[in-house]
Amino acid sequence: MAAQDKNETQAMVEKAKGERERLETGRSRVSALVTLAVVGGIALLLALAVGGDSNEAPSCDDRTMTRDDVCVIYSSGGGGGSYSYQEMIDRRESGDTVKRGIGFGFAGLCAVLMIPAAMRLDPSTPWGTKAAGPCPRCGGTNLREKKTTHSVSQGRTTYQYTGVVTLCTPACGFSSCRRP
């Protein structure tokens, strides 16, 4: 059991070191911003591409309607009935409006989320919070700590190990883990 605890402690320390490295190099920030930009761009593209030509005649049973046609729709789930040429255009455009609204809303949400992502993942922000006392290895006051969780799945069971990881500068290399 002690060996397993040591392995989990080392895994939490390695996870914390990786997180600190990603934050300091700016990889976390770039990844988040690129992901949000790509998803927002796709949503915007889909919102702009939804629907066909608004001047195109509506279709009924895969046949193009003329102005004096009536389309009869049979539906057991509602929405059935007789629809004129203009009513079929209105039905088509109302569905497109909702899809466009969802696309524009999603693109806007991605744009808004870029602001906190850029601020929170700023490389100049230090990892964790300042720890009290000097480093036991180098004597410096550069210790920072953060609560870290490591998960291990075995079959359908997931074990979570949580600890407060304390790290000094990469040059010093000191690390420790304690229970929260």
Side-chain angles (χ1 to χ4, degrees), residues 67-107:
R67 291 214 174 264
D68 47 334
D69 284 344
V70 173
C71 182
V72 179
I73 298 175
Y74 298 99
S75 174
S76 60
S82 298
Y83 298 97
S84 68
Y85 181 89
Q86 188 59 44
E87 289 173 329
M88 288 299 285
I89 290 175
D90 293 342
R91 282 175 56 100
R92 178 183 67 197
E93 290 178 357
S94 69
D96 290 350
T97 303
V98 171
K99 292 174 189 172
R100 280 191 178 112
I102 291 170
F104 285 129
F106 202 65

Side-chain angles (χ1 to χ4, degrees), residues 10 13-14 17 20 135-139 142-143 165-176:
Q10 188 60 32
V13 168
E14 292 304 318
K17 285 181 179 179
R20 178 178 68 179
C135 173
R137 183 176 291 165
C138 70
N142 302 317
L143 290 178
V165 176
T166 305
L167 300 174
C168 193
T169 62
C172 170
F174 174 77
S175 62
S176 69

Side-chain angles (χ1 to χ4, degrees), residues 1-9 159 161 179:
M1 188 69 180
Q4 184 176 359
D5 287 345
K6 184 162 178 60
N7 289 340
E8 302 311 328
T9 299
Y159 300 96
Y161 300 92
R179 293 183 188 263

